[in-house]
Amino acid sequence: MKTITSLTFLLLVLISCKNPVPKKTPQQPLNVESIIGEEGETVLIGYLNRANLNLPEFQAWFKPEYENIKIPEGWSANYLPLTKNLEFKLFLGTWCVDTQREFGGIFKLLDPLGISENRIEMDSISEYKDSPLGYEKEFDILNIPTHIFIEDGNELNRIVGFSFEDLVEYFSKILKNLPNENSCADF
């Protein structure tokens, strides 16, 4: 009887010590400056994360564009190895029509590649194309959105404004390091 009790106790200890499956907790928005823009819209300025875009005002443009992008079957498996050393620097303006049209699609491509939040930096700039930290000057940002692909600390390529070709194809060319001249609107 003592052996059975000892085994039962041991079994209970092992079960209770089993590591629970970690719950994915939602990311908290960063403290970011918010002002009212020239047309009455909310303008975020400064370093932010994706959680900052969860307000209904931003989801109204982010979510439809996210859902609009269709990713070919097997795409992420083919391109995942090409993102191993990549980081992404994204410049946007919550007030900007081009940002509103393109930003959801960029995340639709980053998500299936498993790009974690710690590999993405986002800076939201004002209608005057400046921000408190001034990173837009360091990265020579003239138009937004600008999505910069960084590999081992060096800029690999960027998408400026919007692509004249399919975003999935353009993004894929960048990951493959293929020539893609004149396929973005940079004006």
Side-chain angles (χ1 to χ4, degrees):
M1 177 92 165
K2 189 174 184 180
T3 306
I4 293 175
T5 306
S6 297
L7 287 174
T8 305
F9 176 75
L10 182 60
L11 183 60
L12 287 173
V13 168
L14 289 174
I15 290 172
S16 66
C17 290
K18 181 181 175 189
N19 290 334
V21 175
K23 293 181 181 177
K24 186 173 182 178
T25 57
Q27 187 180 34
Q28 295 298 313
L30 297 176
N31 189 15
V32 63
E33 183 179 350
S34 176
I35 62 172
I36 301 302
E38 294 175 0
E39 296 180 17
E41 74 282 10
T42 302
V43 176
L44 298 181
I45 301 174
Y47 186 70
L48 54 98
N49 62 23
R50 190 166 171 180
N52 289 106
L53 299 177
N54 283 337
L55 293 174
E57 180 176 354
F58 305 132
Q59 284 298 300
W61 50 261
F62 183 92
K63 188 175 179 180
E65 294 304 323
Y66 183 94
E67 293 171 353
N68 187 44
I69 297 292
K70 304 298 180 221
I71 299 176
E73 191 173 322
W75 180 84
S76 58
N78 290 331
Y79 288 91
L80 182 64
L82 302 176
T83 64
K84 183 180 174 185
N85 298 319
L86 290 183
E87 294 180 348
F88 299 86
K89 183 80 170 159
L90 311 176
F91 288 89
L92 69 140
T94 55
W95 51 270
C96 172
V97 178
D98 290 340
T99 293
Q100 294 171 5
R101 183 189 56 248
E102 300 295 323
F103 223 69
I106 289 295
F107 274 96
K108 180 71 174 252
L109 295 168
L110 293 174
D111 285 349
L113 295 171
I115 305 299
S116 61
E117 292 284 341
N118 66 343
R119 293 173 52 196
I120 301 170
E121 286 186 17
M122 290 194 297
D123 289 297
S124 186
I125 62 178
S126 76
E127 293 167 291
Y128 303 104
K129 297 190 180 157
D130 62 1
S131 70
L133 298 175
Y135 289 136
E136 68 281 351
K137 293 176 187 90
E138 178 184 338
F139 287 92
D140 198 26
I141 303 301
L142 302 174
N143 296 298
I144 54 172
T146 297
H147 312 288
I148 303 173
F149 295 67
I150 298 173
E151 184 173 36
D152 300 323
N154 299 309
E155 182 174 330
L156 178 65
N157 210 323
R158 62 174 62 192
I159 298 174
V160 179
F162 59 93
S163 173
F164 288 124
E165 61 184 286
D166 177 76
L167 182 60
V168 177
E169 288 179 35
Y170 189 63
F171 196 94
S172 300
K173 283 182 181 179
I174 291 174
L175 292 178
K176 287 183 176 179
N177 208 13
L178 296 174
N180 49 23
E181 297 171 21
N182 301 319
S183 56
C184 267
D186 182 14
F187 44 129

